[in-house]
Amino acid sequence: MPVDPAPKGWPIARPGLLMIYVGSVCFIRIGAELDEAGEAVHRTELARAIDARPNTVRVGVVYDVPLALGITALGRSDIAAMLNQRRDKLRQTTAAFALATPSAFVRGMLQAVFWIAPPPYPSTMVESVEDALHFVARHLSGIDVPAMLAAYRSEVLLRTVAGKR
């Protein structure tokens, strides 16, 4: 039986933030309502999720950022430091990472994080969640992209208010 990689207490759903596993893929959706408190929850829960991930599990990670949003400079540096501290664990347990956003601004923000904390796994930045899943599927077996995309979109609708998160 497959191991559930989600930490206790997940999924996380709050204004501007959804953190959820669908199978072996961790989806993190950042929306317009993300405030400083939400940023702090994001950083804390991301660290907790990485720490709780069994070393025998490999996961894909998809960030879904549909709008041109910003995480503060302090937030970016905190995330980079947290990722650097967990570099060995990430190398062992992360099959691939993809950021899905139409925003060049958001892609630039992630590039700044990656300059400080280069990922020890395959990564890409694309415009859609579907493209992100296709990338992850090339590095993680057993992903049915259409089915997973449908399940993720269903979760977004279920856990967000009028699609605003």
Side-chain angles (χ1 to χ4, degrees):
M1 176 173 288
V3 175
D4 181 5
K8 288 185 187 225
W10 273 43
I12 303 299
R14 55 173 290 131
L17 181 64
L18 176 62
M19 302 176 82
I20 190 166
Y21 271 90
V22 177
S24 59
V25 177
C26 176
F27 289 91
I28 299 174
R29 182 179 173 91
I30 299 192
E33 299 86 0
L34 186 70
D35 58 13
E36 286 186 37
E39 279 189 41
V41 169
H42 170 241
R43 289 189 305 271
T44 299
E45 288 298 322
L46 181 59
R48 199 168 72 81
I50 294 166
D51 292 344
R53 194 181 297 162
N55 289 335
T56 57
V57 171
R58 296 206 20 102
V59 302
V61 178
V62 172
Y63 266 74
D64 177 12
V65 186
L67 303 170
L69 310 169
I71 292 177
T72 64
L74 178 59
R76 289 190 303 270
S77 65
D78 286 351
I79 289 171
M82 182 273 297
L83 293 173
N84 269 334
Q85 291 170 354
R86 291 161 175 81
R87 190 168 180 77
D88 290 339
K89 176 86 172 222
L90 288 166
R91 179 183 297 109
Q92 184 175 357
T93 63
T94 306
F97 169 95
L99 169 73
T101 183
S103 169
F105 175 73
V106 173
R107 289 190 299 269
M109 281 192 332
L110 180 64
Q111 190 60 51
V113 170
F114 283 177
W115 285 331
I116 299 166
Y121 39 76
S123 64
T124 193
M125 293 180 237
V126 295
E127 291 196 11
S128 73
V129 173
E130 183 175 8
D131 290 343
L133 278 173
H134 280 289
F135 176 80
V136 168
R138 288 196 302 270
H139 301 279
L140 186 63
S141 64
I143 294 179
D144 177 340
V145 172
M148 185 166 284
L149 183 60
Y152 170 66
R153 286 180 175 157
S154 176
E155 289 289 345
V156 169
L157 288 174
L158 176 69
R159 298 181 186 277
T160 61
V161 178
K164 292 183 180 178
R165 290 189 192 165

